[in-house]
Amino acid sequence: RRAAVSRTTVRLRWKSKAELVFDAVAPNPSILQVPDTGSLEGDIRGCVDNTVTLFRSGPMRAAFQGLLDDVRNHPDVRGALVERIYQPSIEGFEQLIARAVARGEIHHEIDTDVLFDIIAGSSLYRLTVSGGDANRLADQLVTILTAGLGGATTTRTSIADNKER
């Protein structure tokens, strides 16, 4: 209304409601870019900080619940978010992992979808449900993820074997 344009004009600019909402709440697309700081810890810190900044923003907090409902009820909205947000983020996380492997900071296979879910889910939960200190979460998440990603893997079998000994 303030722009004095019709719905048709709006629909020409944004192909889906998800795109419109995303542009309204996160107009700076660089917030979703996975940083390349030269270290695993720095890259993880940048990802966590960007995620917390995004979910902390007033517009995102105001729009998030409605967007979540739309994702559940409208496959086209979900598809647009996957295409516009999730897939580019996963590609960035794959590059983050590849760089860390090349630097010798990671020595085992990492599921980038799970890494993304851990960062996004933990940040979202802290900021919307538990109400705890987001800065403390960021520090602890970086510490835990950096240690876990760089550490040796332990399989269920080896855990069971150790219990038997």
Tab-separated table of all heavy atoms in Angstrom, residues 22 26 28-35 43-44 46-47 50-51 54-55 80-99 111-117 119-120:
chain	number	residue	atom	x	y	z
A	22	PHE	N	11.186	-13.616	2.705
A	22	PHE	CA	12.617	-13.675	2.953
A	22	PHE	C	13.284	-12.341	2.647
A	22	PHE	O	14.108	-11.858	3.423
A	22	PHE	CB	13.280	-14.790	2.156
A	22	PHE	CG	14.752	-14.860	2.429
A	22	PHE	CD1	15.221	-15.378	3.622
A	22	PHE	CD2	15.654	-14.351	1.530
A	22	PHE	CE1	16.574	-15.391	3.901
A	22	PHE	CE2	17.003	-14.363	1.802
A	22	PHE	CZ	17.467	-14.891	2.986
A	26	ALA	N	15.202	-10.622	5.600
A	26	ALA	CA	16.648	-10.771	5.468
A	26	ALA	C	17.106	-10.164	4.148
A	26	ALA	O	17.503	-10.870	3.233
A	26	ALA	CB	17.032	-12.244	5.549
A	28	ASN	N	19.697	-8.689	3.321
A	28	ASN	CA	21.116	-8.833	3.033
A	28	ASN	C	21.442	-10.310	2.825
A	28	ASN	O	21.630	-11.042	3.796
A	28	ASN	CB	21.943	-8.255	4.182
A	28	ASN	CG	23.430	-8.346	3.930
A	28	ASN	OD1	23.875	-8.833	2.893
A	28	ASN	ND2	24.209	-7.903	4.894
A	29	PRO	N	21.533	-10.783	1.578
A	29	PRO	CA	21.765	-12.206	1.336
A	29	PRO	C	23.119	-12.700	1.837
A	29	PRO	O	23.308	-13.890	2.034
A	29	PRO	CB	21.652	-12.344	-0.179
A	29	PRO	CG	21.719	-10.989	-0.746
A	29	PRO	CD	21.396	-10.019	0.349
A	30	SER	N	24.052	-11.805	2.098
A	30	SER	CA	25.367	-12.236	2.576
A	30	SER	C	25.283	-12.888	3.958
A	30	SER	O	26.189	-13.611	4.347
A	30	SER	CB	26.338	-11.058	2.612
A	30	SER	OG	25.967	-10.136	3.622
A	31	ILE	N	24.184	-12.660	4.663
A	31	ILE	CA	24.045	-13.262	5.988
A	31	ILE	C	23.968	-14.785	5.896
A	31	ILE	O	24.270	-15.481	6.848
A	31	ILE	CB	22.838	-12.687	6.749
A	31	ILE	CG1	22.990	-12.972	8.236
A	31	ILE	CG2	21.525	-13.261	6.245
A	31	ILE	CD1	22.346	-11.980	9.131
A	32	LEU	N	23.610	-15.305	4.732
A	32	LEU	CA	23.534	-16.750	4.552
A	32	LEU	C	24.805	-17.347	3.975
A	32	LEU	O	24.917	-18.562	3.858
A	32	LEU	CB	22.347	-17.099	3.642
A	32	LEU	CG	20.984	-16.752	4.204
A	32	LEU	CD1	19.909	-17.018	3.173
A	32	LEU	CD2	20.708	-17.535	5.469
A	33	GLN	N	25.754	-16.518	3.604
A	33	GLN	CA	26.990	-17.036	3.037
A	33	GLN	C	27.850	-17.668	4.120
A	33	GLN	O	27.970	-17.138	5.226
A	33	GLN	CB	27.763	-15.930	2.335
A	33	GLN	CG	27.066	-15.441	1.082
A	33	GLN	CD	27.817	-14.301	0.415
A	33	GLN	OE1	28.674	-13.659	1.019
A	33	GLN	NE2	27.476	-14.035	-0.827
A	34	VAL	N	28.430	-18.793	3.783
A	34	VAL	CA	29.335	-19.472	4.704
A	34	VAL	C	30.702	-18.808	4.552
A	34	VAL	O	31.252	-18.770	3.453
A	34	VAL	CB	29.403	-20.984	4.387
A	34	VAL	CG1	30.440	-21.671	5.242
A	34	VAL	CG2	28.025	-21.615	4.588
A	35	PRO	N	31.233	-18.272	5.639
A	35	PRO	CA	32.491	-17.521	5.539
A	35	PRO	C	33.698	-18.434	5.314
A	35	PRO	O	33.670	-19.612	5.646
A	35	PRO	CB	32.591	-16.833	6.903
A	35	PRO	CG	31.786	-17.671	7.819
A	35	PRO	CD	30.697	-18.289	6.992
A	43	ASP	N	35.432	-20.395	10.628
A	43	ASP	CA	34.304	-20.615	9.721
A	43	ASP	C	33.042	-20.988	10.499
A	43	ASP	O	31.961	-20.475	10.221
A	43	ASP	CB	34.625	-21.710	8.702
A	43	ASP	CG	35.684	-21.299	7.690
A	43	ASP	OD1	36.110	-20.124	7.698
A	43	ASP	OD2	36.095	-22.169	6.893
A	44	ILE	N	33.192	-21.876	11.470
A	44	ILE	CA	32.040	-22.276	12.298
A	44	ILE	C	31.531	-21.068	13.077
A	44	ILE	O	30.329	-20.828	13.162
A	44	ILE	CB	32.399	-23.443	13.245
A	44	ILE	CG1	32.716	-24.712	12.449
A	44	ILE	CG2	31.301	-23.694	14.261
A	44	ILE	CD1	31.548	-25.301	11.696
A	46	GLY	N	31.709	-17.930	12.259
A	46	GLY	CA	30.993	-17.066	11.327
A	46	GLY	C	29.604	-17.590	11.009
A	46	GLY	O	28.635	-16.822	10.960
A	47	CYS	N	29.488	-18.903	10.813
A	47	CYS	CA	28.173	-19.500	10.525
A	47	CYS	C	27.225	-19.333	11.708
A	47	CYS	O	26.054	-18.969	11.531
A	47	CYS	CB	28.321	-20.988	10.197
A	47	CYS	SG	29.117	-21.310	8.619
A	50	ASN	N	26.255	-15.592	12.059
A	50	ASN	CA	25.291	-15.202	11.027
A	50	ASN	C	23.898	-15.746	11.339
A	50	ASN	O	22.892	-15.046	11.168
A	50	ASN	CB	25.733	-15.699	9.648
A	50	ASN	CG	26.874	-14.905	9.077
A	50	ASN	OD1	27.233	-13.838	9.572
A	50	ASN	ND2	27.477	-15.427	8.024
A	51	THR	N	23.843	-16.990	11.788
A	51	THR	CA	22.554	-17.611	12.099
A	51	THR	C	21.876	-16.904	13.259
A	51	THR	O	20.675	-16.607	13.205
A	51	THR	CB	22.747	-19.104	12.409
A	51	THR	OG1	23.384	-19.730	11.294
A	51	THR	CG2	21.432	-19.793	12.691
A	54	LEU	N	20.572	-13.555	12.118
A	54	LEU	CA	19.355	-13.690	11.316
A	54	LEU	C	18.134	-13.950	12.193
A	54	LEU	O	17.116	-13.271	12.088
A	54	LEU	CB	19.514	-14.828	10.299
A	54	LEU	CG	18.290	-15.127	9.442
A	54	LEU	CD1	17.970	-13.944	8.530
A	54	LEU	CD2	18.511	-16.390	8.633
A	55	PHE	N	18.239	-14.935	13.092
A	55	PHE	CA	17.086	-15.289	13.923
A	55	PHE	C	16.786	-14.257	15.008
A	55	PHE	O	15.687	-14.216	15.535
A	55	PHE	CB	17.269	-16.672	14.548
A	55	PHE	CG	17.124	-17.798	13.570
A	55	PHE	CD1	18.029	-18.836	13.555
A	55	PHE	CD2	16.078	-17.833	12.660
A	55	PHE	CE1	17.897	-19.889	12.659
A	55	PHE	CE2	15.937	-18.863	11.757
A	55	PHE	CZ	16.849	-19.896	11.753
A	80	ALA	N	10.477	-23.201	-2.464
A	80	ALA	CA	11.171	-21.926	-2.669
A	80	ALA	C	12.222	-21.691	-1.583
A	80	ALA	O	13.329	-21.224	-1.875
A	80	ALA	CB	10.173	-20.774	-2.686
A	81	LEU	N	11.898	-22.031	-0.352
A	81	LEU	CA	12.872	-21.852	0.733
A	81	LEU	C	14.049	-22.812	0.592
A	81	LEU	O	15.190	-22.440	0.849
A	81	LEU	CB	12.193	-22.029	2.092
A	81	LEU	CG	11.326	-20.855	2.520
A	81	LEU	CD1	10.590	-21.177	3.818
A	81	LEU	CD2	12.152	-19.600	2.681
A	82	VAL	N	13.755	-24.038	0.188
A	82	VAL	CA	14.843	-25.001	-0.031
A	82	VAL	C	15.764	-24.489	-1.124
A	82	VAL	O	16.991	-24.485	-0.974
A	82	VAL	CB	14.286	-26.405	-0.373
A	82	VAL	CG1	15.370	-27.308	-0.936
A	82	VAL	CG2	13.646	-27.037	0.858
A	83	GLU	N	15.175	-24.024	-2.212
A	83	GLU	CA	15.963	-23.547	-3.350
A	83	GLU	C	16.741	-22.278	-3.017
A	83	GLU	O	17.903	-22.134	-3.382
A	83	GLU	CB	15.030	-23.276	-4.525
A	83	GLU	CG	15.744	-22.772	-5.763
A	83	GLU	CD	14.767	-22.464	-6.884
A	83	GLU	OE1	13.794	-23.219	-7.066
A	83	GLU	OE2	14.989	-21.447	-7.565
A	84	ARG	N	16.123	-21.389	-2.292
A	84	ARG	CA	16.707	-20.069	-2.067
A	84	ARG	C	17.608	-19.991	-0.833
A	84	ARG	O	18.558	-19.220	-0.809
A	84	ARG	CB	15.563	-19.074	-1.906
A	84	ARG	CG	16.019	-17.672	-1.744
A	84	ARG	CD	15.438	-16.786	-2.803
A	84	ARG	NE	16.018	-15.487	-2.692
A	84	ARG	CZ	15.352	-14.406	-2.380
A	84	ARG	NH1	14.074	-14.457	-2.199
A	84	ARG	NH2	15.955	-13.259	-2.287
A	85	ILE	N	17.317	-20.777	0.184
A	85	ILE	CA	18.065	-20.675	1.435
A	85	ILE	C	18.841	-21.950	1.752
A	85	ILE	O	20.046	-21.929	1.944
A	85	ILE	CB	17.119	-20.334	2.608
A	85	ILE	CG1	16.467	-18.984	2.354
A	85	ILE	CG2	17.871	-20.334	3.930
A	85	ILE	CD1	15.335	-18.665	3.296
A	86	TYR	N	18.120	-23.064	1.813
A	86	TYR	CA	18.730	-24.299	2.293
A	86	TYR	C	19.818	-24.814	1.346
A	86	TYR	O	20.935	-25.092	1.785
A	86	TYR	CB	17.644	-25.358	2.504
A	86	TYR	CG	18.147	-26.614	3.146
A	86	TYR	CD1	18.439	-26.642	4.504
A	86	TYR	CD2	18.332	-27.771	2.408
A	86	TYR	CE1	18.902	-27.796	5.106
A	86	TYR	CE2	18.791	-28.925	3.003
A	86	TYR	CZ	19.078	-28.936	4.349
A	86	TYR	OH	19.543	-30.072	4.939
A	87	GLN	N	19.508	-24.954	0.068
A	87	GLN	CA	20.474	-25.526	-0.862
A	87	GLN	C	21.754	-24.704	-0.964
A	87	GLN	O	22.846	-25.258	-0.884
A	87	GLN	CB	19.841	-25.742	-2.243
A	87	GLN	CG	20.602	-26.730	-3.096
A	87	GLN	CD	20.820	-28.076	-2.417
A	87	GLN	OE1	19.915	-28.663	-1.843
A	87	GLN	NE2	22.039	-28.561	-2.462
A	88	PRO	N	21.672	-23.373	-1.120
A	88	PRO	CA	22.923	-22.594	-1.140
A	88	PRO	C	23.710	-22.714	0.176
A	88	PRO	O	24.937	-22.739	0.162
A	88	PRO	CB	22.459	-21.156	-1.363
A	88	PRO	CG	21.115	-21.272	-1.990
A	88	PRO	CD	20.514	-22.529	-1.430
A	89	SER	N	22.993	-22.814	1.290
A	89	SER	CA	23.674	-22.968	2.575
A	89	SER	C	24.404	-24.308	2.640
A	89	SER	O	25.554	-24.377	3.094
A	89	SER	CB	22.682	-22.856	3.731
A	89	SER	OG	22.135	-21.555	3.778
A	90	ILE	N	23.740	-25.367	2.194
A	90	ILE	CA	24.372	-26.693	2.204
A	90	ILE	C	25.600	-26.697	1.304
A	90	ILE	O	26.638	-27.259	1.657
A	90	ILE	CB	23.351	-27.783	1.790
A	90	ILE	CG1	22.277	-27.930	2.860
A	90	ILE	CG2	24.047	-29.119	1.527
A	90	ILE	CD1	22.799	-28.287	4.248
A	91	GLU	N	25.510	-26.070	0.145
A	91	GLU	CA	26.670	-25.984	-0.740
A	91	GLU	C	27.817	-25.245	-0.054
A	91	GLU	O	28.979	-25.629	-0.165
A	91	GLU	CB	26.285	-25.310	-2.056
A	91	GLU	CG	25.377	-26.183	-2.903
A	91	GLU	CD	24.735	-25.449	-4.069
A	91	GLU	OE1	25.087	-24.272	-4.343
A	91	GLU	OE2	23.868	-26.068	-4.727
A	92	GLY	N	27.500	-24.183	0.675
A	92	GLY	CA	28.517	-23.462	1.434
A	92	GLY	C	29.131	-24.315	2.531
A	92	GLY	O	30.346	-24.283	2.753
A	93	PHE	N	28.303	-25.105	3.204
A	93	PHE	CA	28.811	-25.995	4.252
A	93	PHE	C	29.696	-27.084	3.650
A	93	PHE	O	30.692	-27.487	4.257
A	93	PHE	CB	27.654	-26.611	5.042
A	93	PHE	CG	27.183	-25.757	6.178
A	93	PHE	CD1	26.406	-24.635	5.945
A	93	PHE	CD2	27.514	-26.056	7.484
A	93	PHE	CE1	25.969	-23.841	6.978
A	93	PHE	CE2	27.089	-25.266	8.534
A	93	PHE	CZ	26.316	-24.147	8.285
A	94	GLU	N	29.355	-27.566	2.456
A	94	GLU	CA	30.199	-28.562	1.792
A	94	GLU	C	31.573	-27.972	1.501
A	94	GLU	O	32.594	-28.643	1.681
A	94	GLU	CB	29.530	-29.058	0.505
A	94	GLU	CG	28.330	-29.946	0.765
A	94	GLU	CD	27.502	-30.238	-0.475
A	94	GLU	OE1	27.745	-29.629	-1.554
A	94	GLU	OE2	26.577	-31.078	-0.362
A	95	GLN	N	31.610	-26.722	1.073
A	95	GLN	CA	32.890	-26.053	0.819
A	95	GLN	C	33.664	-25.848	2.122
A	95	GLN	O	34.886	-26.022	2.155
A	95	GLN	CB	32.652	-24.718	0.114
A	95	GLN	CG	32.103	-24.879	-1.287
A	95	GLN	CD	31.590	-23.575	-1.868
A	95	GLN	OE1	31.748	-22.501	-1.298
A	95	GLN	NE2	30.952	-23.667	-3.033
A	96	LEU	N	32.968	-25.478	3.186
A	96	LEU	CA	33.598	-25.314	4.498
A	96	LEU	C	34.285	-26.617	4.906
A	96	LEU	O	35.448	-26.621	5.321
A	96	LEU	CB	32.543	-24.923	5.537
A	96	LEU	CG	32.971	-24.729	6.986
A	96	LEU	CD1	32.014	-23.761	7.667
A	96	LEU	CD2	33.004	-26.028	7.763
A	97	ILE	N	33.567	-27.736	4.772
A	97	ILE	CA	34.124	-29.038	5.151
A	97	ILE	C	35.302	-29.388	4.249
A	97	ILE	O	36.344	-29.849	4.733
A	97	ILE	CB	33.034	-30.138	5.087
A	97	ILE	CG1	31.925	-29.868	6.101
A	97	ILE	CG2	33.642	-31.515	5.278
A	97	ILE	CD1	32.358	-29.825	7.546
A	98	ALA	N	35.176	-29.176	2.941
A	98	ALA	CA	36.263	-29.487	2.009
A	98	ALA	C	37.524	-28.686	2.345
A	98	ALA	O	38.640	-29.224	2.317
A	98	ALA	CB	35.826	-29.215	0.567
A	99	ARG	N	37.354	-27.409	2.687
A	99	ARG	CA	38.510	-26.586	3.063
A	99	ARG	C	39.166	-27.111	4.337
A	99	ARG	O	40.394	-27.182	4.435
A	99	ARG	CB	38.092	-25.127	3.261
A	99	ARG	CG	37.701	-24.399	1.994
A	99	ARG	CD	37.528	-22.899	2.227
A	99	ARG	NE	36.608	-22.562	3.298
A	99	ARG	CZ	35.323	-22.245	3.129
A	99	ARG	NH1	34.795	-22.248	1.908
A	99	ARG	NH2	34.574	-21.932	4.156
A	111	ASP	N	28.415	-35.103	7.635
A	111	ASP	CA	27.132	-34.896	6.965
A	111	ASP	C	26.788	-33.417	7.079
A	111	ASP	O	26.447	-32.923	8.156
A	111	ASP	CB	26.054	-35.761	7.633
A	111	ASP	CG	24.724	-35.724	6.898
A	111	ASP	OD1	24.406	-34.686	6.279
A	111	ASP	OD2	24.005	-36.727	6.967
A	112	THR	N	26.881	-32.698	5.964
A	112	THR	CA	26.673	-31.250	5.991
A	112	THR	C	25.237	-30.883	6.360
A	112	THR	O	25.014	-29.842	6.974
A	112	THR	CB	27.039	-30.609	4.642
A	112	THR	OG1	26.346	-31.276	3.592
A	112	THR	CG2	28.527	-30.687	4.395
A	113	ASP	N	24.269	-31.732	6.001
A	113	ASP	CA	22.879	-31.461	6.387
A	113	ASP	C	22.740	-31.433	7.903
A	113	ASP	O	22.058	-30.573	8.462
A	113	ASP	CB	21.928	-32.527	5.830
A	113	ASP	CG	21.778	-32.466	4.324
A	113	ASP	OD1	21.944	-31.378	3.763
A	113	ASP	OD2	21.486	-33.508	3.724
A	114	VAL	N	23.397	-32.368	8.566
A	114	VAL	CA	23.318	-32.433	10.030
A	114	VAL	C	24.029	-31.237	10.649
A	114	VAL	O	23.526	-30.630	11.598
A	114	VAL	CB	23.876	-33.767	10.564
A	114	VAL	CG1	23.966	-33.765	12.078
A	114	VAL	CG2	23.023	-34.936	10.077
A	115	LEU	N	25.179	-30.869	10.113
A	115	LEU	CA	25.899	-29.702	10.637
A	115	LEU	C	25.031	-28.449	10.515
A	115	LEU	O	24.907	-27.675	11.470
A	115	LEU	CB	27.217	-29.515	9.883
A	115	LEU	CG	28.064	-28.315	10.300
A	115	LEU	CD1	28.427	-28.377	11.777
A	115	LEU	CD2	29.315	-28.242	9.421
A	116	PHE	N	24.403	-28.269	9.370
A	116	PHE	CA	23.493	-27.138	9.169
A	116	PHE	C	22.348	-27.179	10.186
A	116	PHE	O	22.020	-26.167	10.810
A	116	PHE	CB	22.941	-27.166	7.735
A	116	PHE	CG	21.951	-26.079	7.436
A	116	PHE	CD1	22.378	-24.843	6.992
A	116	PHE	CD2	20.594	-26.298	7.589
A	116	PHE	CE1	21.465	-23.832	6.709
A	116	PHE	CE2	19.672	-25.301	7.303
A	116	PHE	CZ	20.115	-24.062	6.862
A	117	ASP	N	21.733	-28.352	10.344
A	117	ASP	CA	20.616	-28.496	11.279
A	117	ASP	C	21.031	-28.200	12.719
A	117	ASP	O	20.269	-27.596	13.476
A	117	ASP	CB	20.029	-29.908	11.208
A	117	ASP	CG	19.290	-30.184	9.902
A	117	ASP	OD1	19.010	-29.232	9.153
A	117	ASP	OD2	19.019	-31.376	9.633
A	119	ILE	N	23.449	-26.167	13.784
A	119	ILE	CA	23.653	-24.728	13.963
A	119	ILE	C	22.327	-23.984	13.920
A	119	ILE	O	22.009	-23.197	14.814
A	119	ILE	CB	24.654	-24.188	12.925
A	119	ILE	CG1	26.041	-24.750	13.213
A	119	ILE	CG2	24.669	-22.660	12.938
A	119	ILE	CD1	27.080	-24.419	12.161
A	120	ALA	N	21.536	-24.242	12.884
A	120	ALA	CA	20.259	-23.525	12.749
A	120	ALA	C	19.298	-23.909	13.868
A	120	ALA	O	18.674	-23.037	14.487
A	120	ALA	CB	19.630	-23.819	11.386
